Amino acid sequence: MFSATRVGRTSPSLACIVGMVLALCSIPAAQAFDFNDVAAKAKALAQRNYEAPAKNLPRELENLSFDAYRDIRYRPEKFLWRNNTLPFEIAFFHQGYFFDRPVKINEVNAQGVREIRFNPADFTYGANKVDPAKLRNLGFAGFRIHFPINTPKYKDEIISFLGATYFRALGKNQHYGQSARGLAIDTALSSGEEFPHFVEYWLVRPAAGAREIVVYALLDSRRATGAYRFTIRPGDDTIVDVKTRLFLRSNVSKLGIAPLTSMFYFGENQPPAVPDFRPEAHDSDGLSIHSGTGEWIWRPLVNPKRLLVTSFALSNPQGFGLLQRDRRFASYEDLALRYETRPGVWIQPKGKWGAGRVELVQIPTPDETNDNIVAQWIPDTPPAPKQPYDLEYRMLWQKDNEPRPNQAWVTQTRRGHGWGHGKPDDSELFVVDFEGTVFKSLGDKARIEPVVSGEQNVQILNTYYQRNEATGGGRMNIRIRRVDADKPVELRGYLRNGNIAISETWSYILPPS
């Protein structure tokens, strides 16, 4: 090893030699493996017929409960890179429960690529009664990455990859909530959904002072293959840059790009069906969209009685995401689940994505254990079979820095009975609160008014605006009556000052009653 002082004092010829040696030392790591290698594997896979991996779980692991599966833990002393003084460490998930497919996991380092072999001795099994001899031919189900995000003294779990193409990440002072996927195929179609899987991963060994880590993944399914590169930068907002190249084996009806999966059980706009001590229970409370034209749209989530699929046609979106805008503990009152700390996820396309739609799928759920919300980008023109389809985007896992319009945004949507002649009638009332810097700049003399529209199944009885003295923002009040209670109602509204829009667009779907 040469110190900086020593190198500075060597002769020019020796300094040159030292520089050449250092440069040569860095070449194997850079050339050992990269995105193009994964893309070549994906292209080759697409030329062959799909072969579903054989399931290899012994019965003892196949019938595990959720709690029993959680009792299987990777030994801390076995964490990858634990003894290498690196900022990142890796732990692995055991097969079992729903996770019945083994995935191949490799390390990429200066010497090349090596497979990380499964060894049952690297796990503790808690109260589970298992025969280690039956586990020797198993593999890993996935992995999680640790990094000191909250305190320098402890490496927190900051992202995990487990099951199909699911992964989820955390920023500082966040708790796991919604998940993302590499790809979704035919979500919410009557023909049934196809779930691609990441079948192989490559973990790139980071440098000693690295603030980011790179993971490659190979996707495979009946009709699609793909190469992925995830560049992960943990922080207050954890950033995941995604680069993908997809190949279709055959045509796909609905190709879901950058899909997000969340949970909405009940909230301020939809009280629980049975009394609950908590005012709200959800991982996300709305879908936010920043269109290619600059318009901001906010659609509050619902838990419908029947499957509800809606979409927004766009060209070249600037971003979309499922967000948790309500960050007050008093809105949830759940000391165990801490919904106010669940991250919102913002998808920021890189380059032009062309024409397509942001689709929102809302599925009925009887409790909060089911992820019942999906948001994804559907291109109008999916790739032709066997042709490469390249996309890049940034994912922001956020709590306090979620994107919002410059002027005013929706903070809550409340719904209740409308009133006529001093008593409840068959109308419905929506109260929508906005906050933002625009209310300060306009002052009390501004001529703010709501602009509300709906489709044929709704009568808009009256609308009016109120200054919200409690928050410093504004309130839009909308009283409506449905025409046909068995059909949904779609409403749109925003605030304007004179002829100038000063807020994002509130877009609400009221499911059939």
Side-chain angles (χ1 to χ4, degrees):
M1 293 291 292
F2 291 85
S3 70
T5 304
R6 276 182 163 177
V7 171
R9 291 179 179 176
T10 55
S11 66
S13 58
L14 181 55
C16 182
I17 293 172
V18 169
M20 292 173 61
V21 170
L22 293 176
L24 288 171
C25 287
S26 66
I27 289 176
Q31 293 185 345
F33 198 85
D34 64 14
F35 177 80
N36 291 327
D37 293 290
V38 190
K41 290 177 179 287
K43 183 178 181 180
L45 267 182
Q47 307 303 317
R48 305 198 300 264
N49 292 330
Y50 175 64
E51 295 182 12
K55 297 180 180 180
N56 61 348
L57 279 184
R59 183 169 297 176
E60 298 93 320
L61 295 181
E62 191 174 15
N63 298 325
L64 290 178
S65 67
F66 173 72
D67 289 333
Y69 177 69
R70 291 185 64 189
D71 214 17
I72 303 176
R73 300 179 181 274
Y74 198 67
R75 296 181 182 275
E77 66 272 18
K78 295 294 185 177
F79 279 25
L80 183 65
W81 308 323
R82 167 59 62 93
N83 300 317
N84 298 106
T85 321
L86 297 180
F88 293 91
E89 295 178 353
I90 311 287
F92 300 96
F93 291 110
H94 203 287
Q95 284 184 257
Y97 189 45
F98 292 140
F99 311 111
D100 55 3
R101 296 188 181 192
V103 297
K104 185 177 179 181
I105 302 178
N106 310 280
E107 180 193 13
V108 180
N109 57 36
Q111 286 70 48
V113 177
R114 72 172 185 95
E115 182 179 356
I116 301 169
R117 298 287 185 175
F118 171 82
N119 184 351
D122 293 341
F123 291 86
T124 60
Y125 291 87
N128 293 293
K129 305 299 181 183
V130 294
D131 180 1
K134 295 182 179 180
L135 308 180
R136 292 172 184 165
N137 296 322
L138 293 183
F140 299 114
F143 62 94
R144 62 182 192 264
I145 301 177
H146 293 244
F147 181 86
I149 196 170
N150 291 306
T151 171
K153 297 180 180 179
Y154 181 78
K155 291 185 173 70
D156 303 276
E157 182 177 339
I158 54 105
I159 192 169
S160 68
F161 291 80
L162 178 64
T165 62
Y166 283 93
F167 61 97
R168 54 183 185 169
L170 292 169
K172 187 176 182 179
N173 297 322
Q174 298 174 17
H175 290 76
Y176 274 141
Q178 65 176 299
S179 301
R181 282 187 279 173
L183 189 68
I185 296 177
D186 290 353
T187 305
L189 292 186
S190 58
S191 57
E193 183 169 0
E194 177 179 326
F195 287 91
H197 281 72
F198 286 141
V199 295
E200 188 169 3
Y201 294 96
W202 293 263
L203 313 174
V204 180
R205 180 170 175 154
R211 302 291 298 179
E212 66 179 43
I213 185 171
V214 173
V215 174
Y216 297 106
L218 177 65
L219 176 147
D220 193 20
S221 77
R222 183 170 60 87
R223 287 180 290 170
T225 70
Y228 286 76
R229 183 186 68 200
F230 300 95
T231 305
I232 303 153
R233 301 179 183 88
D236 290 344
D237 300 336
T238 286
I239 299 171
V240 181
D241 285 321
V242 183
K243 176 182 174 68
T244 180
R245 180 172 298 161
L246 299 173
F247 298 89
L248 299 185
R249 286 190 169 98
S250 58
N251 289 321
V252 170
S253 299
K254 186 192 291 187
L255 191 68
I257 303 297
L260 303 174
T261 303
S262 193
M263 183 278 295
F264 182 92
Y265 184 27
F266 58 85
E268 71 223 2
N269 59 317
Q270 186 178 5
V274 296
D276 197 298
F277 76 92
R278 302 167 301 176
E280 304 178 43
H282 49 72
D283 289 339
S284 308
D285 55 9
L287 168 67
S288 179
I289 298 172
H290 193 192
S291 75
T293 63
E295 181 186 19
W296 285 86
I297 303 168
W298 175 256
R299 172 156 289 178
L301 300 180
V302 297
N303 180 7
K305 294 181 180 179
R306 299 193 292 270
L307 175 67
L308 184 62
V309 181
T310 58
S311 62
F312 298 84
L314 304 168
S315 289
N316 300 317
Q318 297 185 54
F320 70 93
L322 292 172
L323 306 184
Q324 185 82 308
R325 279 190 174 172
D326 193 340
R327 293 295 178 185
R328 298 170 299 174
F329 172 75
S331 296
Y332 308 97
E333 293 290 349
D334 196 320
L335 290 172
L337 298 178
R338 300 301 302 274
Y339 284 118
E340 77 280 3
T341 66
R342 304 294 174 100
V345 182
W346 184 251
I347 304 296
Q348 190 177 74
K350 296 184 179 181
K352 303 291 186 181
W353 279 16
R357 67 186 188 271
V358 174
E359 183 179 80
L360 177 64
V361 179
Q362 300 179 95
I363 305 167
T365 182
D367 55 48
E368 60 204 289
T369 63
N370 299 309
D371 283 342
N372 64 320
I373 306 294
V374 176
Q376 58 190 349
W377 172 255
I378 312 291
D380 280 354
T381 306
K386 309 296 191 294
Q387 297 302 309
Y389 185 66
D390 290 275
L391 276 176
E392 292 189 58
Y393 55 95
R394 169 165 288 184
M395 308 181 72
L396 298 167
W397 299 75
Q398 303 174 299
K399 184 166 72 72
D400 300 318
N401 300 317
E402 292 173 338
R404 55 186 59 167
N406 292 328
Q407 294 184 302
W409 55 89
V410 176
T411 56
Q412 66 171 350
T413 301
R414 294 187 176 273
R415 173 185 159 217
H417 282 295
W419 288 68
H421 306 291
K423 60 182 180 179
D425 58 15
D426 62 348
S427 66
E428 298 185 61
L429 177 66
F430 287 88
V431 174
V432 183
D433 280 343
F434 293 83
E435 292 181 18
T437 56
V438 68
F439 295 105
K440 272 188 179 180
S441 62
L442 288 176
D444 295 333
K445 295 182 180 180
R447 296 180 292 111
I448 299 176
E449 61 180 350
V451 180
V452 180
S453 60
E455 35 69 75
Q456 294 181 346
N457 194 39
V458 62
Q459 295 176 338
I460 299 173
L461 302 178
N462 68 295
T463 64
Y464 63 96
Y465 170 80
Q466 291 175 292
R467 171 77 170 168
N468 189 331
E469 300 294 344
T471 65
R475 173 168 291 184
M476 178 171 66
N477 297 270
I478 309 168
R479 183 165 162 256
I480 68 160
R481 180 177 289 117
R482 300 182 197 235
V483 176
D484 186 343
D486 293 328
K487 295 180 180 179
V489 168
E490 183 171 4
L491 293 166
R492 287 170 60 89
Y494 64 92
L495 299 180
R496 71 182 179 191
N497 178 41
N499 294 321
I500 300 174
I502 62 167
S503 76
E504 69 181 352
T505 300
W506 172 82
S507 175
Y508 198 87
I509 291 288
L510 183 61
S513 59

